[in-house]
Amino acid sequence: MENIPAVSPEEIRKQREYTEKIKVILSVKYPDSAPKAYVHTYGCQGNVSDSERIKGQLFEMGYRFTENREEADLVLFNTCAVREHAQDRVFGNVGALKPIKNTKKDMIIALCGCMMQQKHVWERIKRSYPYVNLVFGTFAIHRVPELLYKVLRSGKRVFETEETKGEIVEGLPVYRDRDFKMWLPIMYGCNNFCSYCVVPYVRGRERSRQPDEVLKEARELISLGAKEITLLGQNVNSYGKNSSHGMNFPKLLKAVNDLPGDFKIRFMTSHPKDCTKELLDTMASCEKVSRHLHLPFQSGNDRVLREMNRGYTRQQYIELINYAKSVMPDISVTSDIIVGFPGETYEEFLDTLSLIEEVKFTSLFTFIFSPREGTKAKNMPDPVSYQQKSEWFSELLKLQESIAAERCRSMVGNTYEVLVEGFTKEDDGRLTGRTDGNINIDFEGDPSLIGTFAKVKVTKALNWILSGELSQ
Ligand code: SAH
Ligand code: SF4
């Protein structure tokens, strides 16, 4: 039987009532111009998507957004707990707010997201950062109006960090940061408990949105002008498991593909243990699905993969990639890797390098193992020093750089369709576009091309940076 825990429409209505009350409070408090909110998001696209829903609620209350935290009346950090480094940055940035708050007493400081779902973190905030007014975890994003109302009315600090069973929230307003590349969450939480990972502890159990809700939002995005829709979930391949509607991820992908419109579809993240030939065949047959597969393998060594609790072997991973390449010869594959998992030896690390050489990934997201509170790997013996792991890490980067450079060289002379995303980071007036395989090409062009598809011929490869020119 289907049992998808959903937030009731009454609860959402109750939150809307709080929104109305806040509107009145804010209009009295800020009679001359709308109050400003600064929202900063750390971590993955799941967090970016949550922030869009939080911003939607803030917008309805009357807040408008600023990029300058000094002029903000409300500062909100949506935090990430996946690695120590991300966590330290949040603590550093919260610390940096103290002098601003000292000169602006009514500024509200709020923290939310994965870090706030960890007891040792919110206890530290409670103890050592008394100027933080509001803390809420990942299970409470639909209750922002109620929580903020409490802060505004009482002036007291509010902490809402309870772990619930995790629900699906529909019907929240969304303030989208981008108008042609858009996020579409299809599921929340994770059941995989990879031994290094904190996500299942801070995001709750896996739960999929109903297919009609996903498709409704997809239609909405298309009508708003989406040129690229990215379907989001920690493991999109387990979409629909335990549901009676019979829609698994490949079928959902096909249903989105079949919606009319001129747009591309991406998805992340796919877990190799649940990645099926059905998915790869579906990708191959769907013209709107980009030829890009992000399939994290984490380690190329079977013993390490077992210790990580990943549920597949090196061989199974390679077979999947070979199958993907056989049905989509132009597929571009990217991955995530952890270097220095507890107990990993140099010989085992070399298996990761050999897998990289074998598959020839387009790009890699590489991380040095970071011990996370509450996970199994945190208590595993970890004899290799950080210094040593950093050296392995550099070795891996060097290998990947040469593979990427080789790939880029092979693209010179070819023409690709790109989605023009904006100006380059160099601020030189040039534009940058992303190919179907998720590779950036910089080129000269009119800014009116931003948000459209254009054909670009690659003229030069400088290591892994591609330059090109518009072609007819
Ligand atoms: N659900 C996705 C990944 C989410 S976290 C998946 O399974 O692929 C994103 C990446 O962060 C992971 O793929 C992993 O490579 C990295 N990561 C997660 N926990 C980590 C840790 N404790 N230390 C280092 N890297 C970690
Ligand atoms: Fe973390 Fe593994 Fe779940 Fe990904 S699949 S979020 S790495 S536990």
Side-chain angles (χ1 to χ4, degrees):
M1 265 310 283
E2 186 160 305
N3 181 20
I4 297 174
V7 171
S8 67
E10 292 74 55
E11 174 65 28
I12 300 287
R13 255 196 304 279
K14 190 175 102 188
Q15 296 300 327
R16 294 255 154 143
E17 283 165 23
Y18 281 114
T19 297
E20 291 308 312
K21 289 185 192 163
I22 293 178
K23 246 188 196 165
V24 175
I25 297 176
L26 294 179
S27 65
V28 173
K29 205 166 169 200
Y30 304 98
D32 301 327
S33 63
K36 295 195 178 74
Y38 170 89
V39 177
H40 186 74
T41 309
Y42 298 81
C44 69
Q45 286 79 3
N47 255 14
V48 174
S49 168
D50 280 355
S51 288
E52 291 186 343
R53 280 158 164 78
I54 294 170
K55 285 172 89 172
Q57 296 175 81
L58 295 176
F59 189 84
E60 289 205 337
M61 292 169 201
Y63 283 100
R64 295 298 173 261
F65 301 105
T66 172
E67 292 298 312
N68 174 1
R69 62 183 79 175
E70 315 236 333
E71 65 163 21
D73 302 294
L74 168 70
V75 171
L76 176 98
F77 291 160
N78 188 1
T79 64
C80 170
V82 141
R83 282 170 296 276
E84 191 73 38
H85 178 65
Q87 198 148 304
D88 289 345
R89 269 173 53 214
V90 171
F91 280 120
N93 284 334
V94 177
L97 291 175
K98 192 176 176 188
I100 308 177
K101 174 98 174 194
N102 279 343
T103 59
K104 199 170 175 184
K105 296 278 181 231
D106 325 344
M107 175 193 259
I108 292 174
I109 299 180
L111 307 177
C112 67
C114 293
M115 269 173 78
M116 302 306 137
Q117 212 59 64
Q118 302 178 103
K119 188 159 181 269
H120 69 280
V121 172
W122 62 255
E123 282 184 345
R124 176 170 166 194
I125 299 286
K126 206 173 220 174
R127 218 177 32 242
S128 311
Y129 298 83
Y131 51 91
V132 171
N133 307 83
L134 170 61
V135 164
F136 58 97
T138 58
F139 299 102
I141 68 163
H142 59 288
R143 291 179 50 219
V144 175
E146 177 187 348
L147 302 173
L148 198 54
Y149 177 77
K150 281 189 190 158
V151 173
L152 287 165
R153 274 312 291 262
S154 71
K156 294 200 178 117
R157 307 175 78 195
V158 172
F159 281 69
E160 180 51 78
T161 55
E162 197 195 338
E163 185 177 337
T164 71
K165 60 187 183 305
E167 296 164 312
I168 295 275
V169 191
E170 297 295 355
L172 289 183
V174 189
Y175 183 94
R176 300 191 193 276
D177 289 327
R178 309 187 301 180
D179 53 6
F180 58 92
K181 283 179 66 130
M182 299 195 192
W183 309 114
L184 176 46
I186 63 167
M187 58 188 301
Y188 303 96
C190 180
N191 286 355
N192 292 309
F193 290 94
C194 300
S195 62
Y196 51 81
C197 184
V198 77
V199 170
Y201 302 93
V202 295
R203 288 264 167 194
R205 295 292 61 76
E206 222 164 69
R207 47 211 189 272
S208 300
R209 292 176 78 187
Q210 290 287 355
D212 51 352
E213 291 289 352
V214 174
L215 293 172
K216 190 169 108 192
E217 190 167 345
R219 279 190 208 96
E220 196 181 302
L221 300 186
I222 298 162
S223 72
L224 289 169
K227 291 286 166 235
E228 182 182 289
I229 297 177
T230 304
L231 309 179
L232 294 178
Q234 291 300 343
N235 175 7
V236 291
N237 296 331
S238 52
Y239 176 82
K241 270 191 188 166
N242 307 321
S243 301
S244 61
H245 51 63
M247 184 76 102
N248 63 8
F249 182 60
K251 291 197 175 74
L252 182 73
L253 193 60
K254 167 105 177 70
V256 178
N257 181 77
D258 290 349
L259 296 173
D262 177 26
F263 64 96
K264 286 281 184 177
I265 307 165
R266 296 183 190 274
F267 56 89
M268 64 192 308
T269 299
S270 259
H271 193 305
K273 88 176 160 56
D274 300 306
C275 179
T276 56
K277 288 187 173 172
E278 183 192 0
L279 171 64
L280 301 170
D281 289 338
T282 306
M283 283 181 79
S285 68
C286 286
E287 75 290 354
K288 289 177 188 147
V289 177
S290 288
R291 292 289 181 264
H292 172 213
L293 180 63
H294 183 62
L295 196 64
F297 71 90
Q298 313 296 358
S299 162
N301 176 272
D302 283 342
R303 189 197 69 82
V304 176
L305 284 172
R306 254 192 326 274
E307 290 294 307
M308 287 177 163
N309 191 31
R310 288 291 287 179
Y312 54 86
T313 61
R314 174 192 175 100
Q315 190 51 31
Q316 284 164 337
Y317 184 84
I318 289 174
E319 278 164 19
L320 272 175
I321 299 293
N322 287 345
Y323 186 78
K325 287 181 176 168
S326 74
V327 291
M328 293 171 283
D330 53 347
I331 188 82
S332 154
V333 188
T334 58
S335 199
D336 293 353
I337 295 174
I338 296 179
V339 173
F341 182 81
E344 182 177 45
T345 63
Y346 184 66
E347 284 65 38
E348 289 169 334
F349 164 71
L350 290 180
D351 288 340
T352 294
L353 294 193
S354 70
L355 185 58
I356 294 174
E357 281 200 86
E358 188 165 348
V359 175
K360 303 234 181 320
F361 294 94
T362 303
S363 59
L364 292 173
F365 296 90
T366 41
F367 311 102
I368 293 183
F369 170 74
S370 168
R372 310 312 296 131
E373 204 60 47
T375 62
K376 202 167 161 211
K378 175 151 197 287
N379 299 319
M380 293 179 179
D382 191 3
V384 176
S385 68
Y386 192 83
Q387 166 71 25
Q388 189 81 66
K389 291 181 186 184
S390 307
E391 283 168 23
W392 299 358
F393 188 80
S394 307
E395 205 173 326
L396 190 159
L397 290 190
K398 228 166 102 195
L399 171 64
Q400 178 57 24
E401 279 168 13
S402 71
I403 292 171
E406 174 62 38
R407 170 184 291 267
C408 287
R409 269 197 303 278
S410 76
M411 291 171 71
V412 175
N414 298 345
T415 299
Y416 297 87
E417 184 179 71
V418 299
L419 176 57
V420 186
E421 293 189 330
F423 293 103
T424 60
K425 282 200 201 84
E426 285 67 43
D427 208 16
D428 53 5
R430 284 156 61 81
L431 300 175
T432 184
R434 195 173 288 271
T435 67
D436 209 38
N438 213 32
I439 299 171
N440 274 96
I441 308 176
D442 299 345
F443 60 98
E444 298 277 350
D446 194 276
S448 64
L449 289 171
I450 296 171
T452 67
F453 292 106
K455 290 220 161 41
V456 176
K457 181 173 176 185
V458 178
T459 51
K460 201 168 90 192
L462 186 62
N463 296 326
W464 54 96
I465 300 171
L466 292 172
S467 303
E469 60 193 27
L470 276 169
S471 102
Q472 296 316 310

